[in-house]
């Protein structure tokens, strides 16, 4: 039977906050957005944002800052006159935006015109008045996110805590509402696990600069030939659904999967020296990997655990991929521990991990394969996103 046809839309932060609250009630899972609703660092970030914006809107740059919105709200009959005076200082696309090299000239023209200045000034004043309402969307910046995670580590010592940080743009700007990227972490008493593989994660960099031990999935580093990126996520809209779903798997039943079906691999020889120190390798549970959209990712993960020699091979779409293996890493002297620090019994671990992959994760994914392997797009995560999108109506951008 073919998987159901569904329209997958981006899901707002508000939906994931509600899902996390439901998981807390139904499963006892502690997942916190931006460190929790009562995080004092969020309040400080919002106060700082208001102060910065108020300073910006109190000087000459205010005219530049609001110029695009001002133009959009001009009556059609006023636009021609405005463009006649200001047009050489403005971009045509997007319309109304001030060209940076011309910003001082633009401000001088506005201030020299009693008509345009008297039109701009109330607009700027209204923008200042609306700052407190807009600040409610401001979440944790990178440094504040790292500080929040570190502050939760003592609390996470008896029971791990999920941490989700939504952001937008270049990921420096955290948000509490709307749409954006969702970074996912699991905090324990002695380390922080970033659950997204191969992500350029500046928050992890901040944590490691503060001497916090971090780990994340890095299957791409295990590929030797060809040396390519391999990722579970294959689109730009599913990060939030993948994050909360993986955290649910890893943290439910008193974090049974996190403690018994995952590994931390450290002191791996032969890795490129990108930074020192670098994150350890986190091997997630097989059940949590079933959300992968990529069949190649699943094949690489399974071969990494199943391989009995130092390397293994995976065939996919007519290409053979050679990769290092878990057994090979142990033989080379890498340190393999469970997440809580216990030394791993690799024989028992591999047996259980592969059973869960072959008997639980793979059958669930196979039921949602959209077509032949050559299409390489599994709909399991898409269906999860579809379910999530139906829980709470979309919010305006």
């Amino acid at each position: 039977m073919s998987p159901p046809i569904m329209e997958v839309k981006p899901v707002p932060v508000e939906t994931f906050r509600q899902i996390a609250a439901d998981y807390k009630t139904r499963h006892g899972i502690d997942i916190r957005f931006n460190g929790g609703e009562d995080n004092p660092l969020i309040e400080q970030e919002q106060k700082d944002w208001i102060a910065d914006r108020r300073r910006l809107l109190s000087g000459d740059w205010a005219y530049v800052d609001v110029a695009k919105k001002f133009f959009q709200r001009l009556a059609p009959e006023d636009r021609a006159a405005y463009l006649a005076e200001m047009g050489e200082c403005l971009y045509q696309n997007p319309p109304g935006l001030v060209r940076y090299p011309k910003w001082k000239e633009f401000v001088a023209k506005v201030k020299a015109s009693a008509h345009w200045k008297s039109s701009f000034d109330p607009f700027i004043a209204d923008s200042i008045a609306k700052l407190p309402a807009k600040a409610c969307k401001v979440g944790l910046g990178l440094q504040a996110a790292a500080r929040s995670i570190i502050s939760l580590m003592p609390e996470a010592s008896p029971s791990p805590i999920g941490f989700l940080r939504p952001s937008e743009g270049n990921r420096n700007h955290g948000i509490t509402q709307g749409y954006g990227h969702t970074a996912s972490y699991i905090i324990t008493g002695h380390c922080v696990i970033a659950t997204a593989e191969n992500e350029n994660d500046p928050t992890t960099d901040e944590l490691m600069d503060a001497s916090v031990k971090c780990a994340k999935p890095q299957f791409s580093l295990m590929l030797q030939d060809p040396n390519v990126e391999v990722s579970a996520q294959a689109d730009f809209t599913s990060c939030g659904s993948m994050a909360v779903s993986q955290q649910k798997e890893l943290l439910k039943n008193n974090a049974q999967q996190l403690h018994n079906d995952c590994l931390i691999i450290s002191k791996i020889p032969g890795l490129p020296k990108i930074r020192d120190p670098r994150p350890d390798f986190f091997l997630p549970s097989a059940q949590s990997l079933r959300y992968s959209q990529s069949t190649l990712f699943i094949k690489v993960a399974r071969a990494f655990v199943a391989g009995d020699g130092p390397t293994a091979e995976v065939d996919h779409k007519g290409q053979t991929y050679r990769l290092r293996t878990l057994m090979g890493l142990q033989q080379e002297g890498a340190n393999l521990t469970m997440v809580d620090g216990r030394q791993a019994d690799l024989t028992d671990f591999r047996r259980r991990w592969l059973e869960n992959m072959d008997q639980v994760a793979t059958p669930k994914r196979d039921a949602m394969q959209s077509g032949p392997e050559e299409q390489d797009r599994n709909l399991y995560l898409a269906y999860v996103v579809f379910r999530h999108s139906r829980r709470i109506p979309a919010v305006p951008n």
Side-chain angles (χ1 to χ4, degrees), residues 39-57:
N39 186 353
L41 291 180
I42 291 183
E43 182 179 354
Q44 188 60 50
E45 292 275 277
Q46 294 173 350
K47 288 180 179 178
D48 292 344
W49 182 87
I50 291 173
D52 289 343
R53 290 291 298 166
R54 185 173 282 121
R55 281 192 295 269
L56 186 69
L57 292 170

Side-chain angles (χ1 to χ4, degrees), residues 297-337:
F297 179 83
I298 291 292
K299 286 184 174 183
V300 167
R302 189 188 186 285
F304 174 73
V305 178
D308 290 321
T311 63
E313 291 186 348
V314 165
D315 292 321
H316 183 70
K317 291 187 178 182
Q319 170 76 53
T320 298
Y321 297 82
R322 185 165 56 87
L323 65 146
R324 300 171 76 177
T325 66
L326 185 57
M327 285 286 290
L329 295 184
Q330 185 190 51
Q331 292 165 4
E332 292 178 54
N335 187 31
L336 279 57
T337 63

Side-chain angles (χ1 to χ4, degrees), residues 103-117:
W103 81 267
K104 291 184 178 180
E105 181 181 343
F106 170 79
V107 171
K109 285 185 174 185
V110 172
K111 295 173 75 172
S113 167
H115 172 69
W116 294 123
K117 186 175 186 303

Side-chain angles (χ1 to χ4, degrees), residues 64-84:
V64 179
D65 189 76
V66 303
K68 181 181 175 182
K69 288 185 178 179
F70 177 82
F71 178 80
Q72 292 171 339
R73 296 182 186 180
L74 280 174
E77 60 270 19
D78 292 330
R79 287 190 177 185
Y82 181 77
L83 289 172

Side-chain angles (χ1 to χ4, degrees), residues 240-254:
S241 290
M242 178 175 283
V244 296
S245 298
Q246 287 181 328
Q247 290 204 359
K248 176 187 175 183
E249 284 295 319
L250 294 172
L251 297 177
K252 69 183 182 182
N253 299 325
N254 296 318

